Amino acid sequence: MSCSLPQGSSHKLFIKGSDTMLNLTEIMAEDFMKVKDNISIYVDGGGTRSGVQALANGECQICTASRDLTSSEIKLLADKYQSLGMSFLIAKDALSIYINKSNVVNDFTVDELNDIFTGKITNWKELGGADKKIILVLRNPNSGTYQYFRQHIMKGADYHSDAMIVGTTQNIIDEVSGDEGAIGFGGMTFFDDDVIHASINSVEATIENVRKDKYPISRYLHFYTLNEPRGPVKNFIDWALSPDGQKSVKKAGFISLWEISH
């Protein structure tokens, strides 16, 4: 957990959830506290599901989520607080397909990705690549990214049982960079010299293509609260949606809700 304590701070705000949004939220919190030095913000990851649980347990005031809440998560909040929760769109993100820089297969159709991650395609030679086994590297099921990809690319099908499960997106990057047969996915903002962000349907993974709605795997990133925000929570969310907050979104490498001038 990152902790920032502005001098003379009198209010504490706890935020927990999406690992995809962790760096984004940390940067936004740091920038916000430069103008609101009476509020101390604590930011933690752990995955969207963990954030929802923390929100339900009263351990945080904002849950960060890289997907919509599931029906069971909404029921959890409703049963405990008689509230469906409130969602705020904060930024836009896109998922990149990560492959090793030595892999000659660097453009996939959505159907091919479905077949790869469900295990119907198991060797790179089936896609015109080397005679090498495909190694799937995934985040754990608590991850909103894991669930989003399963819903939008795999149409709800199960991932292949041989997939390697790792803790963070950076772990996926590390595995793919060290194994020519590996493939994974995660936020477009993660980079490594030994990893390529593949094209999908011959559309490159770029912010410009996401903004123009050309790139097939893009999503909104959310803040969730139990009720109508008040006090420090409202102050932070209002700021996050302001031009200054959206500049922090761009600084973190994500896509602002609208074009922000420098």
Side-chain angles (χ1 to χ4, degrees):
M1 173 181 287
S2 70
C3 167
S4 298
L5 291 168
Q7 187 174 0
S9 62
S10 57
H11 299 286
K12 294 181 180 179
L13 175 57
F14 294 88
I15 303 174
K16 181 177 174 61
S18 166
D19 280 320
T20 296
M21 296 178 66
L22 181 59
N23 184 57
L24 165 66
T25 311
E26 288 175 340
I27 289 175
M28 296 182 83
E30 290 170 3
D31 290 346
F32 172 76
M33 287 186 292
K34 291 174 184 176
V35 296
K36 288 284 188 180
D37 60 5
N38 65 327
I39 299 175
S40 171
I41 300 180
Y42 297 72
V43 181
D44 196 11
T48 297
R49 185 182 299 177
S50 297
V52 175
Q53 190 65 56
L55 188 66
N57 292 341
E59 298 166 357
C60 68
Q61 291 81 46
I62 297 176
C63 162
T64 55
S66 56
R67 56 168 171 80
D68 295 332
L69 298 193
T70 65
S71 57
S72 62
E73 289 168 340
I74 292 172
K75 185 176 186 299
L76 173 66
L77 299 180
D79 288 348
K80 197 164 186 177
Y81 295 99
Q82 291 73 55
S83 169
L84 299 179
M86 297 197 67
S87 171
F88 301 87
L89 302 180
I90 297 301
K92 201 168 185 181
D93 185 28
L95 298 188
S96 287
I97 304 300
Y98 307 141
I99 55 172
N100 188 277
K101 69 176 183 180
S102 300
N103 196 335
V104 299
V105 183
N106 55 22
D107 187 6
F108 302 91
T109 67
V110 170
D111 287 341
E112 286 172 340
L113 291 173
N114 187 0
D115 289 346
I116 289 169
F117 284 92
T118 56
K120 295 175 183 176
I121 295 176
T122 59
N123 193 300
W124 287 110
K125 68 180 181 181
E126 298 176 65
L127 296 167
D131 185 4
K132 183 177 287 290
K133 180 182 178 181
I134 295 175
I135 305 298
L136 304 178
V137 190
L138 306 175
R139 290 279 310 284
N140 64 64
N142 282 342
S143 161
T145 301
Y146 174 106
Q147 298 295 346
Y148 178 88
F149 191 88
R150 181 170 179 257
Q151 178 184 355
H152 289 271
I153 298 300
M154 301 167 62
K155 301 177 179 63
D158 291 330
Y159 290 99
H160 187 42
S161 58
D162 284 348
M164 178 189 304
I165 305 297
V166 298
T168 67
T169 302
Q170 187 58 54
N171 293 149
I172 294 177
I173 292 282
D174 293 342
E175 291 292 338
V176 173
S177 67
D179 190 332
E180 293 181 14
I183 183 172
F185 58 84
M188 192 179 280
T189 58
F190 288 81
F191 291 97
D192 186 282
D193 289 342
D194 294 320
V195 171
I196 293 173
H197 291 222
S199 297
I200 303 176
N201 295 341
S202 298
V203 178
E204 293 183 5
T206 66
I207 288 176
E208 181 180 6
N209 284 334
V210 173
R211 194 180 293 283
K212 292 179 178 178
D213 290 326
K214 293 181 178 179
Y215 186 74
I217 319 178
S218 62
R219 58 183 174 171
Y220 285 101
L221 303 178
H222 310 253
F223 283 171
Y224 281 97
T225 62
L226 285 175
N227 298 296
E228 184 76 31
R230 297 179 179 178
V233 177
K234 176 175 170 53
N235 291 340
F236 180 62
I237 292 177
D238 285 349
W239 177 87
L241 294 173
S242 74
D244 284 342
Q246 291 297 299
K247 286 179 183 177
S248 295
V249 168
K250 291 185 69 174
K251 183 166 74 172
F254 288 84
I255 304 165
S256 58
L257 296 177
W258 53 84
E259 188 58 47
I260 301 295
S261 60
H262 294 285

